[in-house]
Amino acid sequence: MKPIRAAIFGGSGYGGSELIRILLFHPAVELALVTANEHAGKRVADVHRNLLGLTDLSFESAAEDISSLSNVDIAFFALPHGQALNLIPQLPKGVKAIDLSGDFRIDDADIFKRFYKNERHALQSEFVYGLTETNREAIRSARYVANPGCFATATLLALAPITASGLVTGKIVVDAKTGSSGSGAKAAANTHHPQRSNSFYAYKPFQHQHVPEIEQHLGALTDVRNELVFMTHSLPVSRGIFASCYLETTNNLTNEDVENMYRKYYEGSFFVRLVDGSPDINWVKNTNFCDIAAHSNGRQIVVFSAIDNLVKGAAGQAVQNMNLMFAIEEKTGLVFAGGNP
Amino acid sequence: MKPIRAAIFGGSGYGGSELIRILLFHPAVELALVTANEHAGKRVADVHRNLLGLTDLSFESAAEDISSLSNVDIAFFALPHGQALNLIPQLPKGVKAIDLSGDFRIDDADIFKRFYKNERHALQSEFVYGLTETNREAIRSARYVANPGCFATATLLALAPITASGLVTGKIVVDAKTGSSGSGAKAAANTHHPQRSNSFYAYKPFQHQHVPEIEQHLGALTDVRNELVFMTHSLPVSRGIFASCYLETTNNLTNEDVENMYRKYYEGSFFVRLVDGSPDINWVKNTNFCDIAAHSNGRQIVVFSAIDNLVKGAAGQAVQNMNLMFAIEEKTGLVFAGGNP
Amino acid sequence: MKPIRAAIFGGSGYGGSELIRILLFHPAVELALVTANEHAGKRVADVHRNLLGLTDLSFESAAEDISSLSNVDIAFFALPHGQALNLIPQLPKGVKAIDLSGDFRIDDADIFKRFYKNERHALQSEFVYGLTETNREAIRSARYVANPGCFATATLLALAPITASGLVTGKIVVDAKTGSSGSGAKAAANTHHPQRSNSFYAYKPFQHQHVPEIEQHLGALTDVRNELVFMTHSLPVSRGIFASCYLETTNNLTNEDVENMYRKYYEGSFFVRLVDGSPDINWVKNTNFCDIAAHSNGRQIVVFSAIDNLVKGAAGQAVQNMNLMFAIEEKTGLVFAGGNP
Amino acid sequence: MKPIRAAIFGGSGYGGSELIRILLFHPAVELALVTANEHAGKRVADVHRNLLGLTDLSFESAAEDISSLSNVDIAFFALPHGQALNLIPQLPKGVKAIDLSGDFRIDDADIFKRFYKNERHALQSEFVYGLTETNREAIRSARYVANPGCFATATLLALAPITASGLVTGKIVVDAKTGSSGSGAKAAANTHHPQRSNSFYAYKPFQHQHVPEIEQHLGALTDVRNELVFMTHSLPVSRGIFASCYLETTNNLTNEDVENMYRKYYEGSFFVRLVDGSPDINWVKNTNFCDIAAHSNGRQIVVFSAIDNLVKGAAGQAVQNMNLMFAIEEKTGLVFAGGNP
């Protein structure tokens, strides 16, 4: 079989780095091009030293104009917000695209402008939201996929089954926590090791840019509009997102009711694992799994979810979506376990 | 001035260890006795190696009968749950007591039995709940103080001002996180370093023993009865508790309204610091401070609080209460800063 | 091709856990049996939660007598020291064995007795020491392999090229550091998270049981007998061993001389990567790589090496040896990268 | 008694921050001035949030010309290398100075130029090296003190007793490890939390600028000139330095001989604690203690030392020296324990 030829725009960040790693070992993919302007000419393995001995690829600089990009079947964009907005529309016909930034996640022009300070692109209507487990069919036939943010992935996978049931009443509170790799590969004050290593704190109360993304997609799952209180916190670990979701139901539900609801919803979803008690970021690190546990106290429900922010929350889910777009087995290249411990 | 002579029952755990450290440097206290049955005869500094060079004290074993305990003005009990229940009633008249366990925190006999599997003691009615900032006057004249749990301290200090306002409507959600020292000084599976160091998880959903303690004390602050959803999580750090509290108000409140409410409530409370943005466990570690930030989105309110679980959440608050009980300046022996970073 | 049928004795520890993980994905292996007496009957994935969704295997209890073990081509022993000593001699003819404990690493009966408190087994002479890169040919034809300890692996791979050159004079100092997973999966005082997470300390000065293992194998590489000062330290991370090796040469050597010597020695050794500056345990974690850097100051030489103690230091190297013993490509099932970061 | 009036030049870094913290609680000191050009006008506690509620001081900008600095008894310089070189010579007569940088640690002009790229200042001859325990008498009468670097402090305190004995033969190997706060308060690639939190690596092999500082001071302790191999490594913790020192003696020494030698040398040195087995950075963190353990294997000796790099390795030792310079009790303001755990 002819391999899928893939390009990665933005290979120097953590998302890009993980994309390279996963695609290097993907049996159906050939990595044709990896760009990183500040590292152009350097060997990929000299920047991402985990890849030493595993690839001879070098970074290239991205062309200003990518309209003549040839011999590529799919392009991944792992660039800072605002850049894919200009690049993806240039792609020649026949090249599919998956964007890992927020550039094409928001349908509403006003909301997009408010949170991302940019004009929504006309191409927005052709983008499918890439939360694989809730959107498989649309993704299969999509040319363009907007890959979900890491917070949105953890939150939406936790909420989807019960939201879709229509039984949720009142507001939903999501207390979300992220590891430091979520802040990217560039050193900054909030990821300075001496401070971060013994810290835990909240940030951006009532103003996180992931809120509209989550609200839009929750809205697609149900007719009920529940108010969402979403709060982000910083964990002193490198990898992992953990979301604790609090909600109330119109009917009394037993623990068993809730478990059955989740089990049914995720039947056939290999990468969602329903666990007892609580998930733990330790058990999903370096994997594409999302572990979920749901508990009921009658009408009060809590749902916990844990993912690796760079895999299921970014590169892994992007590849999962690529698999669907090219009609190959959804889990191809993604079946690996994290270590114990 | 004659020093206050203090005894510590249970000096081998982390709470007892921190009590020793604080009392050793307290200008008005003389440490008369420290018990630790499994370490009886050993020098304190050979067990708590941070104290090497700072004390010649040795651990003693606790007498079965402490009714003849003499030459002691106050006894601290830092024992596993269930032990102080038998010991404190034996104390000779004239010896005050502060219990750091849960043995005397719950007034209701049925609730106590359900959560602590013991009969409430007749002495319960003479115990004052030692959340210093909300209960100062009662503590000053108390003979017996039940020192709050660490989760309860962080949660109640976050909620007290707005709860006392009577403006809270609907349920309160508290998403609480604790460091590993909260599990005590004995090695256990959940604090095994290889697992814990990259982990984050929830535990005991809908069944934590701190819930009745928090509910009882919230009830003492207001006539309104709000449902409490309280969830505990484990952080991969040694010290620190962080509570994120979500609630709704009957009136619209601006950020400024909320800040003023908190500023007024904690006027004169040296150990509560109101901060911008978010508190961080990094800035309160090794101190008796509770840092708090409150934010409003109109009617949705979030309050964050951070403490050191072993100081403000245990030993430090116990000493703060002792100071009040002996009519000395509340902050004596407790004015120290944590390091930066 | 008929798969290699493998058994693992001792599947509950970290070494066994990683063996299961690696063998589950090994294209030429079928996992026939995994024992763990205390977990017999439980699903592997309920104990090693990283494997949830990836295997339906259950733990079995080990038979007292394994002399009738059938339908198995190779047995791995990941048991506490002293157990394989009794089990391996029972294996039926035709079953190969790789022992991950120290039971068959020491040739000298007296030294073995002194360090391991057991009698050397008569089978010792049939065991090949499984440091793959230095012992390939012997391993290929071995029936029994004694897999090296994690400290020995990091140290010997760092020292082998220069020791084999015969140019080392005087004593060799090795300052070795290990992550907490090296202490095993059972909770203990030295791996209690509150203590370990901000700690660094040495242990067992001048008495570590890895010394004779290292000395014996160094002796096999050269005629010169250099005194070895080997010191172990504990790192506050979960995974990784780092060895800093200090030695002196008879001739002046430039940095280039040393690099060439190492490059030549490890030509064709896929899993040894020579790096600039210093290796970092971060770049080898979860992989079978050993990263090495060597520097000269004329006659003073320092060599740094880094491995993942559970992979190249245990399970990964065991599988590498198995590959050789079954005449399949040495790196089969072991070509995976760790994540970045 | 009139307080000692102190100024701190460079109060924004970690060294300056710890100086402020310690001096704020020092019973004999009044903090007269703290400079930090980039934070001039800001409250100290808004930058160093551990100090919130504990001081109303604000940062000032440093004058270009400090020759008219008045009403100050001592000035501490916690500035980047190269700045104190120009400032200290301007100080008016009667103002003592302690420099925490490397500007005045090296006596030899050529060596200073090679390692610090600056001309040695004429004032160098008036500087006393501030390793308190080995240099007390000179410090008492000094006007200017060059405070030792953190690596030099840990190494020299470990080596001083046995070096002074004249029994050391051959080369000395020092394998030194530091926490991330040693790299300062500014975010940088090597202290980026996602990378650093699971890392351990060596840096600057055979070229660390602390080597001449250590060699010079070792030379002052003995007539023997031993070659020094000194290697620096990075630990994934915030605070702490650990040095493992390997050396050989001319005579056979028992463990007891070595212990007695150390005990005698440090008699009367409150801040050096001799411990069994190994020191641990966990037990010295946030304190001015240096914990040391020495072991002999006959003629091979290993000495381990642990300090907090920001306290005994910087601010604490500076205050210890100030105490001597003002003829007050050496430990004033420095007797505090770190927490357990």
Side-chain angles (χ1 to χ4, degrees), chain B residues 17 25 48-50 52 273 278 283 335 338 340-341, chain D residues 17 25 48-50 52 273 278 283 335 338 340:
Chain B
S17 173
F25 294 98
H48 304 315
R49 288 174 56 185
N50 57 321
L52 203 59
R273 304 189 295 195
S278 169
W283 296 117
V335 183
N340 170 24
Chain D
S17 173
F25 293 98
H48 304 316
R49 287 173 56 184
N50 57 320
L52 203 60
R273 304 189 296 195
S278 170
W283 296 117
V335 184
N340 171 21

PDB file of all heavy atoms in Angstrom, chain B residues 17 25 48-50 52 273 278 283 335 338 340-341, chain D residues 17 25 48-50 52 273 278 283 335 338 340:
ATOM      1  N   SER B  17       5.561  16.310  64.776  1.00  0.00           N
ATOM      2  CA  SER B  17       6.892  16.801  64.440  1.00  0.00           C
ATOM      3  C   SER B  17       6.884  18.317  64.257  1.00  0.00           C
ATOM      4  O   SER B  17       7.775  19.024  64.746  1.00  0.00           O
ATOM      5  CB  SER B  17       7.353  16.112  63.150  1.00  0.00           C
ATOM      6  OG  SER B  17       8.559  16.651  62.681  1.00  0.00           O
ATOM      7  N   PHE B  25      10.766  26.836  69.399  1.00  0.00           N
ATOM      8  CA  PHE B  25      11.173  28.221  69.161  1.00  0.00           C
ATOM      9  C   PHE B  25      10.169  29.227  69.717  1.00  0.00           C
ATOM     10  O   PHE B  25      10.329  30.423  69.532  1.00  0.00           O
ATOM     11  CB  PHE B  25      11.371  28.460  67.658  1.00  0.00           C
ATOM     12  CG  PHE B  25      12.523  27.683  67.094  1.00  0.00           C
ATOM     13  CD1 PHE B  25      12.325  26.487  66.436  1.00  0.00           C
ATOM     14  CD2 PHE B  25      13.824  28.145  67.264  1.00  0.00           C
ATOM     15  CE1 PHE B  25      13.403  25.757  65.936  1.00  0.00           C
ATOM     16  CE2 PHE B  25      14.903  27.441  66.760  1.00  0.00           C
ATOM     17  CZ  PHE B  25      14.696  26.234  66.097  1.00  0.00           C
ATOM     18  N   HIS B  48      13.400  12.997  63.933  1.00  0.00           N
ATOM     19  CA  HIS B  48      13.106  14.155  63.085  1.00  0.00           C
ATOM     20  C   HIS B  48      14.430  14.861  62.832  1.00  0.00           C
ATOM     21  O   HIS B  48      14.824  15.769  63.563  1.00  0.00           O
ATOM     22  CB  HIS B  48      12.118  15.087  63.785  1.00  0.00           C
ATOM     23  CG  HIS B  48      10.847  14.409  64.189  1.00  0.00           C
ATOM     24  ND1 HIS B  48      10.153  13.561  63.347  1.00  0.00           N
ATOM     25  CD2 HIS B  48      10.131  14.444  65.340  1.00  0.00           C
ATOM     26  CE1 HIS B  48       9.062  13.113  63.965  1.00  0.00           C
ATOM     27  NE2 HIS B  48       9.038  13.626  65.169  1.00  0.00           N
ATOM     28  N   ARG B  49      15.085  14.443  61.752  1.00  0.00           N
ATOM     29  CA  ARG B  49      16.477  14.872  61.563  1.00  0.00           C
ATOM     30  C   ARG B  49      16.614  16.349  61.210  1.00  0.00           C
ATOM     31  O   ARG B  49      17.721  16.892  61.250  1.00  0.00           O
ATOM     32  CB  ARG B  49      17.161  13.981  60.533  1.00  0.00           C
ATOM     33  CG  ARG B  49      17.420  12.577  61.119  1.00  0.00           C
ATOM     34  CD  ARG B  49      17.961  11.598  60.109  1.00  0.00           C
ATOM     35  NE  ARG B  49      19.174  12.074  59.486  1.00  0.00           N
ATOM     36  CZ  ARG B  49      19.788  11.439  58.492  1.00  0.00           C
ATOM     37  NH1 ARG B  49      19.281  10.303  58.028  1.00  0.00           N
ATOM     38  NH2 ARG B  49      20.880  11.926  57.954  1.00  0.00           N
ATOM     39  N   ASN B  50      15.514  17.005  60.907  1.00  0.00           N
ATOM     40  CA  ASN B  50      15.581  18.463  60.740  1.00  0.00           C
ATOM     41  C   ASN B  50      15.909  19.149  62.061  1.00  0.00           C
ATOM     42  O   ASN B  50      16.353  20.295  62.074  1.00  0.00           O
ATOM     43  CB  ASN B  50      14.257  19.004  60.182  1.00  0.00           C
ATOM     44  CG  ASN B  50      13.055  18.649  61.027  1.00  0.00           C
ATOM     45  OD1 ASN B  50      12.970  17.527  61.546  1.00  0.00           O
ATOM     46  ND2 ASN B  50      12.136  19.569  61.177  1.00  0.00           N
ATOM     47  N   LEU B  52      18.090  18.115  64.371  1.00  0.00           N
ATOM     48  CA  LEU B  52      19.442  17.805  64.853  1.00  0.00           C
ATOM     49  C   LEU B  52      20.171  19.096  65.227  1.00  0.00           C
ATOM     50  O   LEU B  52      20.198  20.056  64.458  1.00  0.00           O
ATOM     51  CB  LEU B  52      20.206  17.084  63.738  1.00  0.00           C
ATOM     52  CG  LEU B  52      21.389  16.201  64.129  1.00  0.00           C
ATOM     53  CD1 LEU B  52      20.957  15.091  65.077  1.00  0.00           C
ATOM     54  CD2 LEU B  52      22.007  15.585  62.876  1.00  0.00           C
ATOM     55  N   ARG B 273      -4.237  36.137  54.244  1.00  0.00           N
ATOM     56  CA  ARG B 273      -3.755  37.149  53.303  1.00  0.00           C
ATOM     57  C   ARG B 273      -4.617  37.084  52.043  1.00  0.00           C
ATOM     58  O   ARG B 273      -4.733  36.019  51.417  1.00  0.00           O
ATOM     59  CB  ARG B 273      -2.291  36.885  52.928  1.00  0.00           C
ATOM     60  CG  ARG B 273      -1.348  36.806  54.115  1.00  0.00           C
ATOM     61  CD  ARG B 273       0.117  36.761  53.709  1.00  0.00           C
ATOM     62  NE  ARG B 273       0.484  35.561  52.982  1.00  0.00           N
ATOM     63  CZ  ARG B 273       1.747  35.162  52.772  1.00  0.00           C
ATOM     64  NH1 ARG B 273       2.765  35.889  53.230  1.00  0.00           N
ATOM     65  NH2 ARG B 273       2.004  34.064  52.100  1.00  0.00           N
ATOM     66  N   SER B 278      -4.648  34.314  42.110  1.00  0.00           N
ATOM     67  CA  SER B 278      -4.811  33.034  42.795  1.00  0.00           C
ATOM     68  C   SER B 278      -3.746  32.887  43.862  1.00  0.00           C
ATOM     69  O   SER B 278      -2.614  33.326  43.679  1.00  0.00           O
ATOM     70  CB  SER B 278      -4.669  31.878  41.793  1.00  0.00           C
ATOM     71  OG  SER B 278      -4.581  30.635  42.467  1.00  0.00           O
ATOM     72  N   TRP B 283       3.642  29.631  48.017  1.00  0.00           N
ATOM     73  CA  TRP B 283       3.875  30.845  48.810  1.00  0.00           C
ATOM     74  C   TRP B 283       3.426  30.704  50.252  1.00  0.00           C
ATOM     75  O   TRP B 283       3.629  31.619  51.051  1.00  0.00           O
ATOM     76  CB  TRP B 283       3.180  32.050  48.168  1.00  0.00           C
ATOM     77  CG  TRP B 283       3.727  32.404  46.827  1.00  0.00           C
ATOM     78  CD1 TRP B 283       3.040  32.379  45.640  1.00  0.00           C
ATOM     79  CD2 TRP B 283       5.057  32.833  46.508  1.00  0.00           C
ATOM     80  NE1 TRP B 283       3.871  32.754  44.609  1.00  0.00           N
ATOM     81  CE2 TRP B 283       5.104  33.043  45.115  1.00  0.00           C
ATOM     82  CE3 TRP B 283       6.208  33.048  47.260  1.00  0.00           C
ATOM     83  CZ2 TRP B 283       6.267  33.460  44.461  1.00  0.00           C
ATOM     84  CZ3 TRP B 283       7.362  33.466  46.620  1.00  0.00           C
ATOM     85  CH2 TRP B 283       7.381  33.670  45.236  1.00  0.00           C
ATOM     86  N   VAL B 335       5.274  33.856  63.504  1.00  0.00           N
ATOM     87  CA  VAL B 335       5.570  34.820  62.447  1.00  0.00           C
ATOM     88  C   VAL B 335       6.856  34.420  61.734  1.00  0.00           C
ATOM     89  O   VAL B 335       7.949  34.855  62.087  1.00  0.00           O
ATOM     90  CB  VAL B 335       5.674  36.250  63.031  1.00  0.00           C
ATOM     91  CG1 VAL B 335       5.905  37.237  61.888  1.00  0.00           C
ATOM     92  CG2 VAL B 335       4.416  36.598  63.795  1.00  0.00           C
ATOM     93  N   GLY B 338       7.858  31.479  54.577  1.00  0.00           N
ATOM     94  CA  GLY B 338       8.436  30.396  53.795  1.00  0.00           C
ATOM     95  C   GLY B 338       9.506  30.968  52.896  1.00  0.00           C
ATOM     96  O   GLY B 338       9.600  32.176  52.699  1.00  0.00           O
ATOM     97  N   ASN B 340      11.676  31.638  49.325  1.00  0.00           N
ATOM     98  CA  ASN B 340      11.433  31.885  47.916  1.00  0.00           C
ATOM     99  C   ASN B 340      12.670  31.432  47.175  1.00  0.00           C
ATOM    100  O   ASN B 340      13.742  31.981  47.412  1.00  0.00           O
ATOM    101  CB  ASN B 340      11.185  33.389  47.677  1.00  0.00           C
ATOM    102  CG  ASN B 340      11.167  33.719  46.191  1.00  0.00           C
ATOM    103  OD1 ASN B 340      10.902  32.864  45.350  1.00  0.00           O
ATOM    104  ND2 ASN B 340      11.471  34.971  45.856  1.00  0.00           N
ATOM    105  N   PRO B 341      12.589  30.443  46.322  1.00  0.00           N
ATOM    106  CA  PRO B 341      11.369  29.769  45.873  1.00  0.00           C
ATOM    107  C   PRO B 341      10.971  28.640  46.833  1.00  0.00           C
ATOM    108  O   PRO B 341      11.707  28.255  47.675  1.00  0.00           O
ATOM    109  CB  PRO B 341      11.818  29.167  44.554  1.00  0.00           C
ATOM    110  CG  PRO B 341      13.256  28.843  44.756  1.00  0.00           C
ATOM    111  CD  PRO B 341      13.797  29.901  45.684  1.00  0.00           C
TER     112      PRO B 341
ATOM    113  N   SER D  17      16.535  37.704  47.749  1.00  0.00           N
ATOM    114  CA  SER D  17      15.248  37.419  48.379  1.00  0.00           C
ATOM    115  C   SER D  17      15.436  36.742  49.737  1.00  0.00           C
ATOM    116  O   SER D  17      14.769  37.098  50.727  1.00  0.00           O
ATOM    117  CB  SER D  17      14.438  36.515  47.442  1.00  0.00           C
ATOM    118  OG  SER D  17      13.266  36.073  48.048  1.00  0.00           O
ATOM    119  N   PHE D  25      13.938  39.268  60.003  1.00  0.00           N
ATOM    120  CA  PHE D  25      13.693  38.649  61.305  1.00  0.00           C
ATOM    121  C   PHE D  25      14.931  38.682  62.204  1.00  0.00           C
ATOM    122  O   PHE D  25      14.908  38.143  63.304  1.00  0.00           O
ATOM    123  CB  PHE D  25      13.228  37.204  61.115  1.00  0.00           C
ATOM    124  CG  PHE D  25      11.884  37.101  60.459  1.00  0.00           C
ATOM    125  CD1 PHE D  25      11.762  36.867  59.097  1.00  0.00           C
ATOM    126  CD2 PHE D  25      10.725  37.285  61.211  1.00  0.00           C
ATOM    127  CE1 PHE D  25      10.517  36.801  58.498  1.00  0.00           C
ATOM    128  CE2 PHE D  25       9.476  37.213  60.617  1.00  0.00           C
ATOM    129  CZ  PHE D  25       9.371  36.972  59.253  1.00  0.00           C
ATOM    130  N   HIS D  48       8.279  39.153  45.982  1.00  0.00           N
ATOM    131  CA  HIS D  48       8.554  37.935  46.759  1.00  0.00           C
ATOM    132  C   HIS D  48       7.318  37.652  47.599  1.00  0.00           C
ATOM    133  O   HIS D  48       7.211  38.090  48.751  1.00  0.00           O
ATOM    134  CB  HIS D  48       9.787  38.145  47.641  1.00  0.00           C
ATOM    135  CG  HIS D  48      11.007  38.550  46.873  1.00  0.00           C
ATOM    136  ND1 HIS D  48      11.381  37.946  45.688  1.00  0.00           N
ATOM    137  CD2 HIS D  48      11.961  39.493  47.115  1.00  0.00           C
ATOM    138  CE1 HIS D  48      12.506  38.498  45.231  1.00  0.00           C
ATOM    139  NE2 HIS D  48      12.866  39.441  46.076  1.00  0.00           N
ATOM    140  N   ARG D  49       6.409  36.893  47.031  1.00  0.00           N
ATOM    141  CA  ARG D  49       5.092  36.772  47.655  1.00  0.00           C
ATOM    142  C   ARG D  49       5.091  35.979  48.953  1.00  0.00           C
ATOM    143  O   ARG D  49       4.108  35.983  49.691  1.00  0.00           O
ATOM    144  CB  ARG D  49       4.090  36.209  46.642  1.00  0.00           C
ATOM    145  CG  ARG D  49       3.735  37.268  45.589  1.00  0.00           C
ATOM    146  CD  ARG D  49       2.889  36.732  44.466  1.00  0.00           C
ATOM    147  NE  ARG D  49       1.670  36.116  44.966  1.00  0.00           N
ATOM    148  CZ  ARG D  49       0.778  35.490  44.195  1.00  0.00           C
ATOM    149  NH1 ARG D  49       1.001  35.415  42.888  1.00  0.00           N
ATOM    150  NH2 ARG D  49      -0.298  34.952  44.706  1.00  0.00           N
ATOM    151  N   ASN D  50       6.200  35.304  49.246  1.00  0.00           N
ATOM    152  CA  ASN D  50       6.315  34.674  50.571  1.00  0.00           C
ATOM    153  C   ASN D  50       6.362  35.717  51.676  1.00  0.00           C
ATOM    154  O   ASN D  50       6.079  35.405  52.833  1.00  0.00           O
ATOM    155  CB  ASN D  50       7.566  33.783  50.636  1.00  0.00           C
ATOM    156  CG  ASN D  50       8.848  34.528  50.319  1.00  0.00           C
ATOM    157  OD1 ASN D  50       8.861  35.369  49.406  1.00  0.00           O
ATOM    158  ND2 ASN D  50       9.905  34.235  51.037  1.00  0.00           N
ATOM    159  N   LEU D  52       4.558  38.544  51.847  1.00  0.00           N
ATOM    160  CA  LEU D  52       3.299  39.293  51.969  1.00  0.00           C
ATOM    161  C   LEU D  52       2.857  39.324  53.435  1.00  0.00           C
ATOM    162  O   LEU D  52       2.817  38.291  54.106  1.00  0.00           O
ATOM    163  CB  LEU D  52       2.232  38.598  51.116  1.00  0.00           C
ATOM    164  CG  LEU D  52       1.043  39.434  50.659  1.00  0.00           C
ATOM    165  CD1 LEU D  52       1.493  40.614  49.810  1.00  0.00           C
ATOM    166  CD2 LEU D  52       0.089  38.561  49.850  1.00  0.00           C
ATOM    167  N   ARG D 273      26.742  19.875  61.081  1.00  0.00           N
ATOM    168  CA  ARG D 273      26.234  18.718  61.833  1.00  0.00           C
ATOM    169  C   ARG D 273      26.805  17.437  61.223  1.00  0.00           C
ATOM    170  O   ARG D 273      26.633  17.202  60.022  1.00  0.00           O
ATOM    171  CB  ARG D 273      24.697  18.667  61.769  1.00  0.00           C
ATOM    172  CG  ARG D 273      24.032  19.939  62.255  1.00  0.00           C
ATOM    173  CD  ARG D 273      22.515  19.794  62.380  1.00  0.00           C
ATOM    174  NE  ARG D 273      21.839  19.559  61.106  1.00  0.00           N
ATOM    175  CZ  ARG D 273      20.517  19.679  60.924  1.00  0.00           C
ATOM    176  NH1 ARG D 273      19.728  20.039  61.953  1.00  0.00           N
ATOM    177  NH2 ARG D 273      19.974  19.444  59.758  1.00  0.00           N
ATOM    178  N   SER D 278      24.422   9.099  55.651  1.00  0.00           N
ATOM    179  CA  SER D 278      24.532  10.140  54.635  1.00  0.00           C
ATOM    180  C   SER D 278      23.694  11.334  55.023  1.00  0.00           C
ATOM    181  O   SER D 278      22.618  11.182  55.595  1.00  0.00           O
ATOM    182  CB  SER D 278      24.029   9.607  53.285  1.00  0.00           C
ATOM    183  OG  SER D 278      23.917  10.658  52.338  1.00  0.00           O
ATOM    184  N   TRP D 283      16.929  17.370  54.722  1.00  0.00           N
ATOM    185  CA  TRP D 283      17.037  17.744  56.140  1.00  0.00           C
ATOM    186  C   TRP D 283      17.747  19.069  56.357  1.00  0.00           C
ATOM    187  O   TRP D 283      17.851  19.534  57.496  1.00  0.00           O
ATOM    188  CB  TRP D 283      17.751  16.639  56.927  1.00  0.00           C
ATOM    189  CG  TRP D 283      17.009  15.343  56.969  1.00  0.00           C
ATOM    190  CD1 TRP D 283      17.424  14.150  56.457  1.00  0.00           C
ATOM    191  CD2 TRP D 283      15.719  15.104  57.534  1.00  0.00           C
ATOM    192  NE1 TRP D 283      16.469  13.188  56.681  1.00  0.00           N
ATOM    193  CE2 TRP D 283      15.414  13.736  57.326  1.00  0.00           C
ATOM    194  CE3 TRP D 283      14.767  15.907  58.186  1.00  0.00           C
ATOM    195  CZ2 TRP D 283      14.221  13.150  57.756  1.00  0.00           C
ATOM    196  CZ3 TRP D 283      13.577  15.330  58.604  1.00  0.00           C
ATOM    197  CH2 TRP D 283      13.324  13.977  58.389  1.00  0.00           C
ATOM    198  N   VAL D 335      19.082  30.643  63.662  1.00  0.00           N
ATOM    199  CA  VAL D 335      18.720  29.380  64.306  1.00  0.00           C
ATOM    200  C   VAL D 335      17.271  29.028  63.967  1.00  0.00           C
ATOM    201  O   VAL D 335      16.335  29.364  64.696  1.00  0.00           O
ATOM    202  CB  VAL D 335      18.936  29.454  65.828  1.00  0.00           C
ATOM    203  CG1 VAL D 335      18.632  28.096  66.456  1.00  0.00           C
ATOM    204  CG2 VAL D 335      20.364  29.863  66.146  1.00  0.00           C
ATOM    205  N   GLY D 338      14.443  23.469  59.264  1.00  0.00           N
ATOM    206  CA  GLY D 338      13.569  23.197  58.143  1.00  0.00           C
ATOM    207  C   GLY D 338      12.426  22.314  58.607  1.00  0.00           C
ATOM    208  O   GLY D 338      12.461  21.742  59.703  1.00  0.00           O
ATOM    209  N   ASN D 340       9.699  19.111  58.605  1.00  0.00           N
ATOM    210  CA  ASN D 340       9.691  17.669  58.374  1.00  0.00           C
ATOM    211  C   ASN D 340       8.280  17.307  57.944  1.00  0.00           C
ATOM    212  O   ASN D 340       7.360  17.498  58.735  1.00  0.00           O
ATOM    213  CB  ASN D 340      10.076  16.920  59.647  1.00  0.00           C
ATOM    214  CG  ASN D 340       9.873  15.416  59.512  1.00  0.00           C
ATOM    215  OD1 ASN D 340       9.827  14.897  58.422  1.00  0.00           O
ATOM    216  ND2 ASN D 340       9.693  14.741  60.633  1.00  0.00           N
TER     217      ASN D 340
END
